[in-house]
Amino acid sequence: MTIRLGGIIFGLVLTAILVLWSLMPGLFNFALPEKPDYYAFQEENIEPAGGFSFEGPLGTWDTQQLQRGYQVYKEVCSACHSLKYVAFRNLQQIGYTEPEVRAEAASWMVPGIDPKDGSVIERPGLPTDQFPSPYANDVEARAFNNNAIPPDLSLITKARKDGVHYVYSLMQGYTEPDPEDLAKSPDFETPPGLYFNEHFYNINIAMPPQLLDGIVTYSDGTEATTEQMSADVTAFLTWAGEPSLIQRKQTGWFVIGFLAFMTALAFLSYKQIWAAKKRKKA
């Protein structure tokens, strides 16, 4: 009896602690309602006109857009950001042929081992290699980026809230502070070495503007505007983070159809089995 009572009391105490812990953020915000000055400058995420082709229950990958996005990553983003969970061979999923994948892999230099003496060397990539990091370690990354480590982009659209629209918005968020917002927060400033970005979570970001009109020359002739490049690289990073996204959606429709069929079959079976049975009168 004593053990059972002790267990009940322990369970109630543990439940109370968990409830209070879950309420702590709300209580903290209620007790300290004032937000930092940079909240006044934050803007809602935006999306391209018409949205992305992969959004919605019937979404599909636009392979041309994914290839353009890969080109943007390669020519712009890869100078600072890794893509360590993606292998060169995965590029076949976005429309590249096997010879093209081998050529793409060979155009990158990846870390390797010299078979003669075991020393670390750089060699042309193979389709089985993953995309290399631009830095040898975090110390080097900080040294080249104002003490900030550029995040790996493999899962960036899944690691950030509303990640798809966040990445698209961030690429275009380098503006000047709104004068009205600046008047409300006169103490706000962008420190040297940082850049104002109205879609970054605390506004001041270590990454300088990356996408400028015409910085990339698309191989398919598409005009490389900032909006176009932002949409393309966002689509590519979405694919990199979840290459099975469209397959999952298609599987979902099959499962829904199967469940609907089985529900109808079960209902008809129920009607057939109980059709001859009469209800008892009350």
Side-chain angles (χ1 to χ4, degrees):
M1 182 66 180
T2 304
I3 296 176
R4 181 180 297 178
L5 181 61
I8 293 173
I9 294 175
F10 176 78
L12 291 174
V13 171
L14 183 61
T15 301
I17 292 174
L18 292 175
V19 170
L20 289 175
W21 183 261
S22 66
L23 294 175
M24 281 297 291
L27 293 174
F28 182 80
N29 290 334
F30 180 78
L32 301 172
E34 293 186 4
K35 295 182 177 181
D37 286 346
Y38 59 74
Y39 272 84
F41 299 93
Q42 284 188 338
E43 296 292 339
E44 295 292 330
N45 290 335
I46 58 177
E47 63 179 19
F52 289 97
S53 65
F54 52 81
E55 292 182 312
L58 300 176
T60 58
W61 294 124
D62 181 344
T63 55
Q64 287 296 319
Q65 183 177 55
L66 296 182
Q67 291 182 16
R68 291 195 303 268
Y70 167 65
Q71 186 178 347
V72 174
Y73 168 75
K74 180 181 180 180
E75 297 184 16
V76 181
C77 308
S78 65
C80 299
H81 296 276
S82 59
L83 201 67
K84 62 183 180 182
Y85 295 120
V86 181
F88 294 112
R89 62 184 176 188
N90 297 137
L91 294 177
Q92 285 186 263
Q93 300 176 21
I94 62 173
Y96 286 96
T97 64
E98 189 172 340
E100 288 174 333
V101 169
R102 286 199 298 268
E104 273 299 319
S107 69
W108 293 71
M109 299 301 292
V110 302
I113 301 296
D114 190 332
K116 297 180 181 178
D117 57 15
S119 60
V120 178
I121 60 172
E122 285 196 334
R123 58 170 177 79
L126 299 172
T128 53
D129 291 321
Q130 293 171 310
F131 282 87
S133 172
Y135 304 108
N137 49 55
D138 289 351
V139 176
E140 184 182 36
R142 288 184 184 278
F144 281 92
N145 294 280
N146 195 26
N147 205 37
I149 300 178
D152 177 77
L153 298 183
S154 305
L155 301 172
I156 194 67
T157 58
K158 297 178 71 64
R160 300 292 186 266
K161 181 180 179 181
D162 191 24
V164 173
H165 299 132
Y166 168 76
V167 172
Y168 176 76
S169 304
L170 185 72
M171 292 295 98
Q172 302 178 68
Y174 294 93
T175 61
E176 293 296 326
D178 186 278
E180 294 184 3
D181 294 333
L182 199 57
K184 298 176 183 177
S185 304
D187 296 332
F188 173 83
E189 63 177 358
T190 298
L194 298 182
Y195 302 86
F196 181 89
N197 189 306
E198 61 188 9
H199 294 291
F200 189 57
Y201 71 94
N202 68 348
I203 300 302
N204 293 323
I205 186 173
M207 180 177 72
Q210 297 297 308
L211 301 182
L212 304 173
D213 291 348
I215 196 173
V216 170
T217 301
Y218 281 135
S219 56
D220 65 359
T222 301
E223 184 181 1
T225 63
T226 300
E227 293 79 5
Q228 183 68 56
M229 290 184 290
S230 299
D232 294 342
V233 75
T234 299
F236 172 72
L237 294 178
T238 302
W239 166 82
E242 195 171 5
S244 61
L245 174 64
I246 302 305
Q247 184 180 2
R248 285 197 305 104
K249 292 182 179 183
Q250 294 171 347
T251 302
W253 280 113
F254 173 79
V255 171
I256 290 173
F258 175 78
L259 292 176
F261 172 76
M262 292 304 297
T263 300
L265 187 62
F267 177 74
L268 293 175
S269 299
Y270 162 79
K271 297 290 288 184
Q272 181 68 24
I273 293 172
W274 293 96
K277 303 295 183 181
K278 296 182 178 180
R279 293 184 179 180
K280 292 183 179 181
K281 295 182 179 180

